[in-house]
């Protein structure tokens, strides 16, 4: 079980998403899972997330059809493996 679950919901965030994910993956502390929650993106955000999913075993990719960051965050909470939660936005670097 990872020590921390990082929940990152995203919606049409292709401009920032790659930098945000890299920022999390490059942290000194590495005992975490990164839950990427696609919230009905219509741009290339999902493609970016899928590319990272293939390259790092700490990443899980989920989908939430109910629109809104609250619904997407809740989906991340429901699938988190750790009792310690960190929340990030798709434009956080």
């Amino acid at each position: 079980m990872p020590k921390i679950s990082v929940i990152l919901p995203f919606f049409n965030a292709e401009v920032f998403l790659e930098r945000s994910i890299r920022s999390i993956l490059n942290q000194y502390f590495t005992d975490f899972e990164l839950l990427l929650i696609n919230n009905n993106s219509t741009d290339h955000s999902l493609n970016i997330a899928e590319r990272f999913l293939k390259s790092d075993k700490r990443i899980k990719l989920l989908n939430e059809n109910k629109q809104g960051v609250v619904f997407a965050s809740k989906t991340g909470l429901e699938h988190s493996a750790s009792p310690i939660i960190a929340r990030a936005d798709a434009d956080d670097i």
Side-chain angles (χ1 to χ4, degrees):
M1 173 173 40
K3 291 202 184 227
I4 298 175
S5 294
V6 180
I7 297 172
L8 194 161
F10 63 91
F11 169 72
N12 289 349
E14 69 179 329
V15 174
F16 300 106
L17 188 59
E18 182 170 346
R19 288 180 23 202
S20 181
I21 293 171
R22 285 190 191 283
S23 167
I24 293 166
L25 295 178
N26 290 332
Q27 296 297 310
Y28 177 74
F29 183 81
T30 59
D31 190 7
F32 63 86
E33 67 175 346
L34 175 56
L35 302 168
L36 302 175
I37 300 95
N38 178 33
N39 198 205
N40 302 308
S41 294
T42 58
D43 64 358
H44 290 45
S45 297
L46 183 57
N47 295 334
I48 293 167
E50 288 172 337
R51 190 175 75 238
F52 278 97
L53 175 67
K54 294 176 184 175
S55 68
D56 196 306
K57 64 180 180 168
R58 296 175 292 177
I59 296 176
K60 293 180 185 173
L61 179 57
L62 307 165
N63 288 293
E64 174 52 58
N65 292 326
K66 290 183 185 174
Q67 194 63 45
V69 69
V70 172
F71 296 112
S73 296
K74 184 175 182 244
T75 296
L77 284 171
E78 291 169 352
H79 290 87
S80 64
S82 174
I84 300 173
I85 305 296
R87 240 299 263 118
D89 289 316
D91 61 352
D92 288 344
I93 300 171

